[in-house]
Amino acid sequence: MSAMTRKGYLDRLLTAYTRVAVLSDKNGCTVYRLRHNTKGQDLVLRSFSQPIAAYEILRDVACDALPLIYDTVTLDDGQIVLEEFIDGVTVAEIMETGKYRYRGAKAVLTAVCEALTVLHQRGLVHRDVKPENVMIDKSGRVVLIDFNASRQVSDAAKDTLIMGTVGYASPEQLGITQSDARTDIYAAGILLNTMLTGKHPSEQLAGGRAGRIVKKCTQLTPIDRYQTAALLAAAL
Amino acid sequence: MNNCPHCGEVLQEGAHFCPYCMTSLDDKTVIPTRIPKHKWRLLAATAALLFALFALGTVLLLTRGDDPTVPADAPITTTGSQAIGITGGTTTFSSIESGGNTATKSERGSTPTSTGGTDTATTSKKSGSTSSKTSSTTTTTTTTAAKGDSAQTNTVQSGNPSSDTETTTTTAATAVTYTYVIATQETAYPPGKAPYSFTPSDYVVITGVSGVATNGIYEVPKTIGDQTVIAIMPSAFAGVSDHVKTVILPTSVRTIWSNAFSGCYNLTDLYFSAKAIGIYEDAFPAVAQRIGTLTFHSPYDSRNFDFYYYRNIAGDYGAQWAQWNG
């Protein structure tokens, strides 16, 4: 057996890497940015106390709209995920300087829909689609990151745990029904609205066509929303 | 342990990537980024959507008649108010609350031992099995728990003085008293959540609150005597429903049962301390009827906070008012 702890694994890795930054440290998950000592390349290391299935599932996938998951390592006291480092800024950071126009928001959301399509096809729900989790790198590649809140769609009657970010969490995530792919559609709608208006749709709904799309995404009943991310992308 | 075929470094068992030479050791499925927008695909999706809508319509039609009955797998209290949030509307809510209130009155007004005992066995059986009534079941559960325990231990009355001196939040307004009974497996934890090592006699559950707290802030004590407070029972706060604005729960409270805060129209803030808590459907029925929000405060981020809830905690569309303040 591996007989290795996360700390042991990280310590060994740090013989070849330098720790550039701790990107986040909460919810039993620590995220480091590491730089290879000789290659100069960066990667993201996520250290979880509880293994997250999504990373395991996405390890086999190479999609432009998702970060590459290099490897998932199961250790005695949790899981370590090695992930592609996206050298860019989050939509939340861009939003600090101003709002999006429809064309820009459409480009971002189309990529998010592509990412969501890949996730949903693999039976995953992201459950935390928000500006902080959408990154844009220097080449303009849009990437949906952070699968920490994701889950596999199951037959259980309802979510037993509230996960996600308030404001972006859909009603079923807060207990009305089981969250599924349409949960992410809801959050994507709010993301679109936020990009265009800087506000939650309940405060200010985007105008025109975008407003109608947001409205449809954020219907309280999942069946009234766009049923797949591809349909949402098509509507854009 | 195995070695990287490229650089020879020792890797973990089953590694798919060598971090030392940054080489992938297996192939990935490359997914093209463009979503093909073929017309047939859209047509198929639309057809699927239409079918789904049709299916929902059928389901709705079918379930409309079944609403009062309750799924067989539903646990004790959740069964009670299943139909309420969705179809019952305001009237059903109020009827539930009045039911809850009377339950509390009988608990505290008369001697618990005399009210208890008689039908404990039958009621507990009832609430355990699947029930078909709505509001009455919730009430039954209330009384069952209280009666069952008081019959066993007689702690309701005898507990009062000690809780006055030791553990209650006494303020300038009037002394706040927490009424409690010894916990049971059923009252302390949501079904299936009780740990194996759970000793009910170490714990108590809050069945009632009286007294007016300053500024409406009620801080539930963590311990009463040398017993730990573990749950808030149905209608516990009904007696002070006019005064409650803020409730601070100790780390030890793990479950809030249905209607625990019935009638508490002024409740605006709830402070959690525990990392995990179970909140039953309609724990805050009054909140669902008013405009405004009930804010949950937790020292933990909502993502990490294990917030078990059973059905809809505030009636229909709880999401519209429930919000987190990390």
Short mmCIF file of all heavy atoms in Angstrom, two decimals, chain A residues 9-23 31-37 40-46 70 80-85, chain B residues 19 22:
data_model
loop_
_atom_site.label_atom_id
_atom_site.label_comp_id
_atom_site.label_asym_id
_atom_site.label_seq_id
_atom_site.Cartn_x
_atom_site.Cartn_y
_atom_site.Cartn_z
N TYR A 9 3.82 13.10 0.76
CA TYR A 9 3.82 13.21 -0.70
C TYR A 9 4.27 14.61 -1.13
O TYR A 9 5.10 14.77 -2.03
CB TYR A 9 2.41 12.92 -1.22
CG TYR A 9 2.33 12.91 -2.73
CD1 TYR A 9 2.55 11.75 -3.46
CD2 TYR A 9 2.00 14.08 -3.43
CE1 TYR A 9 2.48 11.73 -4.83
CE2 TYR A 9 1.93 14.08 -4.82
CZ TYR A 9 2.16 12.90 -5.51
OH TYR A 9 2.08 12.90 -6.87
N LEU A 10 3.71 15.61 -0.46
CA LEU A 10 4.04 16.99 -0.82
C LEU A 10 5.51 17.29 -0.54
O LEU A 10 6.20 17.90 -1.35
CB LEU A 10 3.13 17.96 -0.03
CG LEU A 10 3.30 19.43 -0.32
CD1 LEU A 10 2.96 19.73 -1.77
CD2 LEU A 10 2.40 20.26 0.59
N ASP A 11 5.97 16.80 0.60
CA ASP A 11 7.37 17.05 0.96
C ASP A 11 8.31 16.45 -0.08
O ASP A 11 9.30 17.06 -0.47
CB ASP A 11 7.68 16.45 2.35
CG ASP A 11 7.10 17.31 3.46
OD1 ASP A 11 6.71 18.46 3.15
OD2 ASP A 11 7.02 16.83 4.60
N ARG A 12 7.93 15.25 -0.54
CA ARG A 12 8.78 14.60 -1.54
C ARG A 12 8.74 15.39 -2.85
O ARG A 12 9.75 15.57 -3.52
CB ARG A 12 8.30 13.17 -1.75
CG ARG A 12 9.24 12.44 -2.67
CD ARG A 12 9.12 10.95 -2.64
NE ARG A 12 9.92 10.48 -3.77
CZ ARG A 12 9.40 9.99 -4.87
NH1 ARG A 12 8.11 9.87 -5.00
NH2 ARG A 12 10.18 9.62 -5.87
N LEU A 13 7.55 15.87 -3.18
CA LEU A 13 7.39 16.63 -4.42
C LEU A 13 8.18 17.93 -4.36
O LEU A 13 8.69 18.41 -5.38
CB LEU A 13 5.89 16.93 -4.62
CG LEU A 13 5.42 17.06 -6.07
CD1 LEU A 13 5.67 15.76 -6.82
CD2 LEU A 13 3.93 17.39 -6.10
N LEU A 14 8.29 18.47 -3.15
CA LEU A 14 8.98 19.76 -3.02
C LEU A 14 10.50 19.64 -3.19
O LEU A 14 11.21 20.64 -3.16
CB LEU A 14 8.64 20.41 -1.67
CG LEU A 14 7.23 21.03 -1.63
CD1 LEU A 14 6.89 21.50 -0.23
CD2 LEU A 14 7.10 22.18 -2.61
N THR A 15 10.97 18.42 -3.39
CA THR A 15 12.39 18.30 -3.74
C THR A 15 12.60 18.70 -5.20
O THR A 15 13.68 19.10 -5.60
CB THR A 15 12.88 16.84 -3.55
OG1 THR A 15 12.05 15.98 -4.34
CG2 THR A 15 12.81 16.43 -2.10
N ALA A 16 11.53 18.58 -6.00
CA ALA A 16 11.64 18.94 -7.42
C ALA A 16 10.92 20.24 -7.74
O ALA A 16 11.07 20.79 -8.82
CB ALA A 16 11.07 17.81 -8.28
N TYR A 17 10.11 20.70 -6.79
CA TYR A 17 9.29 21.88 -7.04
C TYR A 17 9.54 22.95 -5.98
O TYR A 17 9.99 22.65 -4.87
CB TYR A 17 7.80 21.52 -6.99
CG TYR A 17 7.31 20.79 -8.22
CD1 TYR A 17 7.48 19.41 -8.34
CD2 TYR A 17 6.66 21.47 -9.24
CE1 TYR A 17 7.02 18.73 -9.45
CE2 TYR A 17 6.19 20.81 -10.36
CZ TYR A 17 6.37 19.44 -10.46
OH TYR A 17 5.91 18.78 -11.55
N THR A 18 9.18 24.17 -6.32
CA THR A 18 9.18 25.25 -5.35
C THR A 18 7.73 25.70 -5.17
O THR A 18 6.99 25.80 -6.14
CB THR A 18 10.00 26.44 -5.86
OG1 THR A 18 11.22 25.95 -6.35
CG2 THR A 18 10.23 27.46 -4.76
N ARG A 19 7.37 25.97 -3.93
CA ARG A 19 6.02 26.45 -3.68
C ARG A 19 5.95 27.94 -4.03
O ARG A 19 6.65 28.75 -3.43
CB ARG A 19 5.66 26.22 -2.21
CG ARG A 19 4.20 26.34 -1.93
CD ARG A 19 3.79 25.59 -0.71
NE ARG A 19 4.76 25.72 0.38
CZ ARG A 19 4.73 24.98 1.48
NH1 ARG A 19 3.80 24.07 1.61
NH2 ARG A 19 5.62 25.15 2.42
N VAL A 20 5.12 28.27 -5.01
CA VAL A 20 5.00 29.66 -5.43
C VAL A 20 3.98 30.38 -4.55
O VAL A 20 4.20 31.50 -4.11
CB VAL A 20 4.58 29.76 -6.91
CG1 VAL A 20 4.48 31.20 -7.35
CG2 VAL A 20 5.56 29.00 -7.79
N ALA A 21 2.84 29.72 -4.33
CA ALA A 21 1.80 30.37 -3.54
C ALA A 21 0.82 29.33 -3.02
O ALA A 21 0.71 28.24 -3.57
CB ALA A 21 1.05 31.38 -4.40
N VAL A 22 0.14 29.69 -1.94
CA VAL A 22 -1.00 28.92 -1.49
C VAL A 22 -2.22 29.65 -2.04
O VAL A 22 -2.51 30.78 -1.66
CB VAL A 22 -1.06 28.83 0.05
CG1 VAL A 22 -2.31 28.07 0.49
CG2 VAL A 22 0.18 28.14 0.58
N LEU A 23 -2.90 29.02 -2.98
CA LEU A 23 -4.00 29.71 -3.66
C LEU A 23 -5.24 29.79 -2.79
O LEU A 23 -5.97 30.77 -2.82
CB LEU A 23 -4.31 29.01 -4.99
CG LEU A 23 -3.13 28.97 -5.99
CD1 LEU A 23 -3.51 28.15 -7.20
CD2 LEU A 23 -2.71 30.37 -6.41
N VAL A 31 -4.88 24.42 -1.65
CA VAL A 31 -4.47 24.48 -3.05
C VAL A 31 -3.15 25.24 -3.15
O VAL A 31 -3.04 26.37 -2.68
CB VAL A 31 -5.55 25.18 -3.90
CG1 VAL A 31 -5.16 25.11 -5.37
CG2 VAL A 31 -6.92 24.55 -3.69
N TYR A 32 -2.15 24.57 -3.72
CA TYR A 32 -0.85 25.19 -3.88
C TYR A 32 -0.56 25.43 -5.36
O TYR A 32 -1.04 24.70 -6.22
CB TYR A 32 0.26 24.28 -3.35
CG TYR A 32 0.12 23.89 -1.91
CD1 TYR A 32 -0.46 22.68 -1.56
CD2 TYR A 32 0.61 24.71 -0.91
CE1 TYR A 32 -0.59 22.30 -0.23
CE2 TYR A 32 0.51 24.34 0.42
CZ TYR A 32 -0.09 23.14 0.75
OH TYR A 32 -0.20 22.77 2.06
N ARG A 33 0.23 26.44 -5.60
CA ARG A 33 0.79 26.61 -6.93
C ARG A 33 2.26 26.25 -6.81
O ARG A 33 3.00 26.86 -6.03
CB ARG A 33 0.60 28.06 -7.38
CG ARG A 33 1.22 28.34 -8.74
CD ARG A 33 1.00 29.79 -9.10
NE ARG A 33 1.84 30.14 -10.24
CZ ARG A 33 1.97 31.39 -10.69
NH1 ARG A 33 1.33 32.37 -10.09
NH2 ARG A 33 2.73 31.64 -11.72
N LEU A 34 2.68 25.26 -7.57
CA LEU A 34 4.06 24.80 -7.49
C LEU A 34 4.77 25.06 -8.81
O LEU A 34 4.15 25.01 -9.88
CB LEU A 34 4.09 23.29 -7.19
CG LEU A 34 3.37 22.80 -5.94
CD1 LEU A 34 3.50 21.28 -5.84
CD2 LEU A 34 3.92 23.44 -4.68
N ARG A 35 6.04 25.34 -8.70
CA ARG A 35 6.83 25.55 -9.93
C ARG A 35 7.95 24.52 -9.99
O ARG A 35 8.68 24.33 -9.02
CB ARG A 35 7.40 26.97 -9.95
CG ARG A 35 8.26 27.25 -11.19
CD ARG A 35 8.47 28.73 -11.36
NE ARG A 35 7.19 29.40 -11.60
CZ ARG A 35 7.00 30.72 -11.41
NH1 ARG A 35 7.99 31.48 -10.98
NH2 ARG A 35 5.83 31.26 -11.65
N HIS A 36 8.07 23.89 -11.13
CA HIS A 36 9.10 22.88 -11.33
C HIS A 36 10.47 23.57 -11.33
O HIS A 36 10.68 24.56 -12.04
CB HIS A 36 8.87 22.14 -12.66
CG HIS A 36 9.61 20.84 -12.73
ND1 HIS A 36 10.95 20.78 -12.98
CD2 HIS A 36 9.18 19.56 -12.58
CE1 HIS A 36 11.33 19.50 -12.98
NE2 HIS A 36 10.27 18.74 -12.74
N ASN A 37 11.38 23.03 -10.54
CA ASN A 37 12.66 23.71 -10.35
C ASN A 37 13.48 23.84 -11.63
O ASN A 37 14.13 24.86 -11.85
CB ASN A 37 13.49 22.97 -9.30
CG ASN A 37 12.93 23.21 -7.90
OD1 ASN A 37 12.21 24.20 -7.69
ND2 ASN A 37 13.23 22.34 -6.98
N GLY A 40 10.62 25.03 -14.89
CA GLY A 40 10.00 26.34 -14.75
C GLY A 40 8.50 26.35 -15.00
O GLY A 40 7.87 27.39 -15.01
N GLN A 41 7.94 25.16 -15.19
CA GLN A 41 6.50 25.08 -15.44
C GLN A 41 5.74 25.01 -14.12
O GLN A 41 6.23 24.48 -13.14
CB GLN A 41 6.20 23.81 -16.24
CG GLN A 41 5.86 24.09 -17.69
CD GLN A 41 5.64 22.78 -18.42
OE1 GLN A 41 6.59 22.02 -18.63
NE2 GLN A 41 4.41 22.52 -18.79
N ASP A 42 4.52 25.56 -14.14
CA ASP A 42 3.72 25.56 -12.91
C ASP A 42 2.66 24.48 -12.96
O ASP A 42 2.20 24.09 -14.03
CB ASP A 42 3.02 26.92 -12.75
CG ASP A 42 4.02 28.00 -12.35
OD1 ASP A 42 5.22 27.68 -12.27
OD2 ASP A 42 3.60 29.14 -12.15
N LEU A 43 2.29 24.03 -11.81
CA LEU A 43 1.09 23.20 -11.72
C LEU A 43 0.37 23.50 -10.41
O LEU A 43 0.92 24.08 -9.50
CB LEU A 43 1.39 21.70 -11.90
CG LEU A 43 2.29 20.92 -10.97
CD1 LEU A 43 1.64 20.70 -9.63
CD2 LEU A 43 2.59 19.57 -11.60
N VAL A 44 -0.89 23.10 -10.39
CA VAL A 44 -1.71 23.32 -9.21
C VAL A 44 -1.82 22.00 -8.47
O VAL A 44 -2.07 20.97 -9.09
CB VAL A 44 -3.11 23.83 -9.61
CG1 VAL A 44 -4.05 23.84 -8.41
CG2 VAL A 44 -3.00 25.21 -10.22
N LEU A 45 -1.58 22.05 -7.18
CA LEU A 45 -1.73 20.84 -6.36
C LEU A 45 -2.86 21.07 -5.38
O LEU A 45 -2.85 22.03 -4.63
CB LEU A 45 -0.42 20.54 -5.62
CG LEU A 45 -0.40 19.25 -4.81
CD1 LEU A 45 0.96 18.61 -4.88
CD2 LEU A 45 -0.78 19.49 -3.36
N ARG A 46 -3.84 20.21 -5.44
CA ARG A 46 -4.96 20.29 -4.50
C ARG A 46 -4.85 19.15 -3.51
O ARG A 46 -4.68 18.00 -3.93
CB ARG A 46 -6.31 20.18 -5.23
CG ARG A 46 -6.63 21.36 -6.10
CD ARG A 46 -7.87 21.11 -6.93
NE ARG A 46 -8.05 22.19 -7.88
CZ ARG A 46 -8.73 23.30 -7.61
NH1 ARG A 46 -9.29 23.46 -6.43
NH2 ARG A 46 -8.84 24.25 -8.51
N TYR A 70 -3.88 16.23 -14.27
CA TYR A 70 -2.75 15.37 -14.58
C TYR A 70 -2.88 14.03 -13.87
O TYR A 70 -2.73 12.98 -14.45
CB TYR A 70 -1.44 16.03 -14.16
CG TYR A 70 -1.11 17.29 -14.90
CD1 TYR A 70 -0.72 18.43 -14.21
CD2 TYR A 70 -1.16 17.35 -16.29
CE1 TYR A 70 -0.38 19.60 -14.87
CE2 TYR A 70 -0.84 18.52 -16.96
CZ TYR A 70 -0.45 19.64 -16.26
OH TYR A 70 -0.13 20.78 -16.91
N ILE A 80 -4.63 13.75 -3.30
CA ILE A 80 -3.91 14.88 -3.88
C ILE A 80 -4.19 14.89 -5.37
O ILE A 80 -4.19 13.84 -6.03
CB ILE A 80 -2.41 14.80 -3.55
CG1 ILE A 80 -2.17 15.40 -2.16
CG2 ILE A 80 -1.58 15.54 -4.60
CD1 ILE A 80 -0.73 15.53 -1.75
N VAL A 81 -4.51 16.06 -5.87
CA VAL A 81 -4.81 16.20 -7.28
C VAL A 81 -3.77 17.12 -7.90
O VAL A 81 -3.48 18.20 -7.38
CB VAL A 81 -6.23 16.80 -7.48
CG1 VAL A 81 -6.47 17.09 -8.95
CG2 VAL A 81 -7.28 15.85 -6.95
N LEU A 82 -3.17 16.67 -8.99
CA LEU A 82 -2.23 17.51 -9.73
C LEU A 82 -2.96 18.03 -10.94
O LEU A 82 -3.51 17.27 -11.73
CB LEU A 82 -1.00 16.70 -10.15
CG LEU A 82 -0.22 16.06 -9.01
CD1 LEU A 82 0.90 15.19 -9.55
CD2 LEU A 82 0.36 17.13 -8.08
N GLU A 83 -2.96 19.34 -11.09
CA GLU A 83 -3.83 19.97 -12.08
C GLU A 83 -3.06 21.02 -12.85
O GLU A 83 -2.13 21.63 -12.33
CB GLU A 83 -5.02 20.58 -11.32
CG GLU A 83 -6.09 21.17 -12.17
CD GLU A 83 -7.15 21.86 -11.28
OE1 GLU A 83 -7.62 21.25 -10.32
OE2 GLU A 83 -7.45 23.02 -11.57
N GLU A 84 -3.48 21.23 -14.06
CA GLU A 84 -2.87 22.26 -14.90
C GLU A 84 -3.04 23.64 -14.26
O GLU A 84 -4.10 23.96 -13.73
CB GLU A 84 -3.58 22.25 -16.26
CG GLU A 84 -3.08 23.29 -17.22
CD GLU A 84 -3.93 23.31 -18.50
OE1 GLU A 84 -5.01 22.69 -18.52
OE2 GLU A 84 -3.50 23.94 -19.45
N PHE A 85 -1.97 24.42 -14.30
CA PHE A 85 -2.08 25.78 -13.78
C PHE A 85 -2.55 26.69 -14.92
O PHE A 85 -1.94 26.72 -15.99
CB PHE A 85 -0.75 26.26 -13.23
CG PHE A 85 -0.77 27.71 -12.81
CD1 PHE A 85 -1.45 28.09 -11.66
CD2 PHE A 85 -0.15 28.69 -13.57
CE1 PHE A 85 -1.49 29.42 -11.27
CE2 PHE A 85 -0.20 30.02 -13.18
CZ PHE A 85 -0.87 30.38 -12.03
N PRO B 19 5.18 13.75 -11.96
CA PRO B 19 5.38 15.17 -11.68
C PRO B 19 6.84 15.59 -11.79
O PRO B 19 7.14 16.77 -11.92
CB PRO B 19 4.85 15.34 -10.27
CG PRO B 19 4.86 14.00 -9.67
CD PRO B 19 4.76 13.01 -10.78
N MET B 22 7.25 15.82 -15.53
CA MET B 22 6.03 16.42 -16.06
C MET B 22 5.57 15.74 -17.35
O MET B 22 5.27 16.39 -18.34
CB MET B 22 6.19 17.93 -16.25
CG MET B 22 6.38 18.66 -14.93
SD MET B 22 6.22 20.44 -15.05
CE MET B 22 4.52 20.69 -14.61
#
